[in-house]
Amino acid sequence: MTGGPVLFGVRHLSPAAAFQLRQALDAAAPALVLVEGPSDLNDQMKWLCHPETRFPAAILAYTQTPPVRTILYPFAVYSPEIQAILWAHEHGVECRFMDLPSGVFLALEANEPVSDAPEQEEQTERTESVYHRLETLTGEEHDTFWERNFEQLEEQYQTSANTFGRMLRESSLDDTRHTAETLVREAYMKRVIIQAVESGIPAEKIFCVCGAFHVAGLEENQPMTDEEEKALPRTDSTATLMPYSYYRLSSRSGYGAGNKAPAYFELLWKAMHGEGLQETPYLYLTRLAAAHRKAGNLVSSAEVIEAVRLADTLAALRGSRYPTLSDLRDASVTTMGHGNFSELALAAADTEIGKKIGFLPEGVSRTSVQEDFYRQLKELRLEKYRTAELQELNLDLREKLNVKSEQAALADLRRSFFLHRLRVLGIHFAAPLPSRQENANWGEYWELRWTPEAEIEVVESSLLGDTIEGAAAYALKERAENSATIAQAAAIFEDAFLCGMPAAAVHALTMLQGLSVDAAALTDVTETAWRLSFVIRYGDLRRFDTEPVIPLLKQLYLRACLTLEDSCVCDAKAAPDIARSMERLNALQLAHDFLEEERLLALLHTISDRDDLNPNCSGFALAILLERGTVGEELLAREVARRLSPGVPADLGAGWFEGLAAKNRRALIVRLSLWRRLDDYLKELDDMDFRRALVFLRRAFADFSPGEKNDVAENLGEIWGCSQAQAAELLMEETTANEQEVLSGLSDFDFDDI
């Protein structure tokens, strides 16, 4: 190939490379531009050149069968590859990708051997050792070294970048597999170049844009033969174009993958098209000052001027023509941050990384699930939440009676269905927040933030269905069929309910009914019953028929009642779970009048009376009865006297009080006689038993609010004849390490032998 082709080595996402590349293209006037990238993705170029496309954007290729594997090619406006594609489009010159097809990349990825962690760490160390050595020699991180020595080149950029790539290649210590993959890629790219020449295009009229690392390989190595090309592994793949974000580019920092400050590098790109790089300090520092002021901080014009002067001085001392980002940051920290980067951290993130997210025009090649996703975003008026900034969305699920159409009346409910379907699919666009209303069930609260990862997750969902609803239905069906416990099936049923998908809910309920025939732990039964209760209570709000759910809830409630008493024969470690189940049963009965109240109350009385059960459970049962008003003063006094009497071990007496104090604390605090009885009981214990009892009591008081602790201290102060402050000092202390050790020893205490 005498006289050509032109091999222009670049650093991916380099503004100087993109700027110098366009000048080199003008000078070369090629007939064909070849760009490093999967050769089967040429159809995406027309969308990259679309006038409505806004960068950053990325080409995503993914496998058509699970497990989904993906490869991503992100571009910013200052990417050399993008500028080469745009130049070719503007000048009517043919442009193609020349690297291995995406299906080959994905197949190679699937064939990578699984290594243990130490080998992976060693591999990474070998790959990055060149950069580490370079940073050691220069005293600067690689991004700063590149900016100071290459971004500021105004002449001989191509020669310098190609030479650097050759030296980098000679110094590289990549492992055998990665070296082999590099050689295969270069052989394929050279094959594409040879085929272009054989098609009649003069070699000197071919312009190749590739990573500087590959230039030497394209110059020296042999092209891939037909037999070698046929032997390449392949897998079926599909590609789509997706919006990308500067935040994601910054998190993929490193040579060939991204840069740590994409918004800053775009600023360099703009400076190159304006007054030149001498304009950079003014652009950066004024934007930084504006962002700092926006955050509510004071920045004077004098501080900005001093920062510009200091940055120029630092650049001169460090041997560069213009200040780099490192120089600008040091100068701004000194003048505007008063020596502390923490003062400028938010403004620096906004100025250096930015919040920009790309945009693609309608009609861009997408999967059907992507199309459905964006259609619903627009229809549900959620497009404004597709930003890198975290935003809250408050929904009112009640029907709005002051609007004309049913669609508008149920707008928030439809938004809720959509967001829950995304959650079920594992699309991390929206996350639910806890309810903010104790007595209202109509409010739903979400946090929304868009990331490129969410777009990838939308694409991956296309393997499950053609729409968001269809994919969510398949995901729920698959989970239901793989559920092994009633608690798992109940969680799926609740998800289907929240997604507004009755058919999926019926299927999950069928699976749940089948699993409910088998024996299950009390905690699983009460958890399942609680989920079913949630559906029944809020069914009308979500337009869901709850009649088929009621018989199953009755059945589970009865089973829980029948097993609760025996479950209270447990150790201290299991007691909190049993108490939670007891509280769930109590809440279920209060929420639904069709559940037998007499059966539960009789059961709680039995548990509170028995001495051979876990005392914590017995105390908690009495606390529920006290809260429900079914225990009189006489019965409470008798139980207190019996449980806190001389001779009762500290583990039992204090453990019982811990259960009693777990709820309805106000009713206990106002009963001074209870605290007198507790005080008398503690006085009668020997030193060892007192220490053990104290650990239980400290734990019992740990969840008391400060106000409740003060009220208890007031009671004890009256009993002890001391001030409230002195009594409160003991209650407010945290459990010590020695006390925690005593507690851990009590966790294995078996109450079966009581």
Side-chain angles (χ1 to χ4, degrees), residues 304-581:
V304 177
I305 294 170
E306 286 302 312
V308 171
R309 292 172 177 170
L310 180 55
D312 286 335
T313 302
L314 289 172
L317 289 172
R318 293 167 176 173
S320 59
R321 297 179 61 189
Y322 308 110
T324 64
L325 176 58
S326 175
D327 303 325
L328 293 168
R329 179 180 281 190
D330 288 346
S332 61
V333 168
T334 301
T335 60
M336 289 186 265
H338 309 102
N340 299 310
F341 176 71
S342 58
E343 290 191 27
L344 289 172
L346 291 177
D350 186 69
T351 308
E352 297 172 11
I353 298 174
K355 301 174 182 176
K356 181 176 285 190
I357 290 180
F359 173 82
L360 297 175
E362 289 189 15
V364 69
S365 175
R366 288 174 175 156
T367 65
S368 58
V369 170
Q370 281 178 294
E371 293 288 358
D372 183 55
F373 174 81
Y374 283 103
R375 178 189 61 79
Q376 292 197 59
L377 273 189
K378 185 175 183 179
E379 183 180 301
L380 297 173
R381 298 184 179 180
L382 294 173
E383 288 178 304
K384 67 179 181 179
Y385 296 97
R386 202 179 65 84
T387 69
E389 185 177 355
L390 188 67
Q391 300 181 73
E392 283 195 15
L393 172 65
N394 300 334
L395 301 179
D396 183 344
L397 305 184
R398 296 172 296 185
E399 181 178 2
K400 296 174 179 59
L401 303 177
N402 58 345
V403 295
K404 294 182 178 180
S405 69
E406 181 180 358
Q407 191 174 26
L410 301 176
D412 276 3
L413 180 60
R414 293 169 56 239
R415 291 188 184 102
S416 173
F417 289 157
F418 175 67
L419 296 178
H420 277 294
R421 290 168 187 173
L422 298 183
R423 177 181 58 81
V424 163
L425 287 170
I427 298 171
H428 293 85
F429 172 47
L433 295 171
S435 176
R436 298 170 185 170
Q437 296 134 329
E438 294 183 4
N439 301 315
N441 56 28
W442 45 262
E444 199 171 76
Y445 309 94
W446 296 81
E447 281 184 341
L448 287 78
R449 175 171 20 202
W450 184 250
T451 64
E453 286 76 16
E455 183 92 36
I456 295 174
E457 290 160 353
V458 173
V459 170
E460 290 175 347
S461 299
S462 64
L463 296 177
L464 305 179
D466 295 330
T467 63
I468 292 294
E469 182 177 359
Y474 184 88
L476 290 169
K477 179 176 179 291
E478 197 172 50
R479 280 174 55 196
E481 292 175 350
N482 292 328
S483 57
T485 67
I486 58 173
Q488 290 174 350
I492 298 162
F493 173 71
E494 183 180 355
D495 277 343
F497 165 71
L498 292 171
C499 290
M501 300 169 62
V506 169
H507 182 261
L509 189 62
T510 302
M511 302 298 296
L512 176 56
Q513 289 170 329
L515 291 168
S516 67
V517 175
D518 300 326
L522 174 67
T523 51
D524 281 350
V525 173
T526 53
E527 174 68 19
T528 301
W530 186 252
R531 291 183 183 276
L532 297 183
S533 171
F534 173 81
V535 172
I536 293 171
R537 284 178 285 135
Y538 300 155
D540 290 343
L541 187 69
R542 290 182 169 271
R543 306 297 191 273
F544 188 86
D545 180 15
T546 61
E547 285 301 317
V549 187
I550 294 176
L552 183 55
L553 177 59
K554 289 181 178 179
Q555 175 189 334
L556 294 173
Y557 174 79
L558 177 60
R559 179 186 293 188
C561 287
L562 293 175
T563 58
L564 177 60
E565 188 174 350
D566 290 340
S567 298
C568 290
V569 182
C570 62
D571 59 19
K573 190 174 183 179
D577 290 335
I578 301 303
R580 278 192 291 272
S581 295

Side-chain angles (χ1 to χ4, degrees), residues 91-105:
H91 291 79
V93 174
E94 183 181 5
C95 184
R96 299 200 300 262
F97 288 123
M98 63 174 177
D99 209 340
L100 292 170
S102 61
V104 175
F105 274 116

Side-chain angles (χ1 to χ4, degrees), residues 150 189 282 504 575 616 676 708 742:
F150 291 91
M189 287 191 277
Y282 304 98
N616 188 289
R676 289 189 187 278
E708 291 170 337
V742 173

Side-chain angles (χ1 to χ4, degrees), residues 672 674-677 679-680 683 714-722:
L672 187 61
L674 171 66
W675 302 99
R676 289 189 187 278
R677 180 62 257 172
D679 179 57
D680 293 340
K683 287 178 181 177
E714 186 176 350
N715 285 342
L716 296 179
E718 182 175 341
I719 295 170
W720 295 338
C722 65

Side-chain angles (χ1 to χ4, degrees), residues 91 126 147 157 169 214 320 371 466 480 584 600 626 696:
H91 291 79
R126 287 201 303 267
E147 184 185 356
Y157 178 91
R169 186 187 189 92
H214 298 298
S320 59
E371 293 288 358
D466 295 330
R584 281 280 169 87
L600 178 62
L626 186 64
F696 277 95

Side-chain angles (χ1 to χ4, degrees), residues 180-199:
E181 182 177 317
T182 297
L183 294 176
V184 169
R185 291 178 59 197
E186 291 168 353
Y188 187 91
M189 287 191 277
K190 192 158 187 176
R191 170 187 172 87
V192 172
I193 296 170
I194 296 294
Q195 287 176 336
V197 173
E198 291 175 349
S199 71

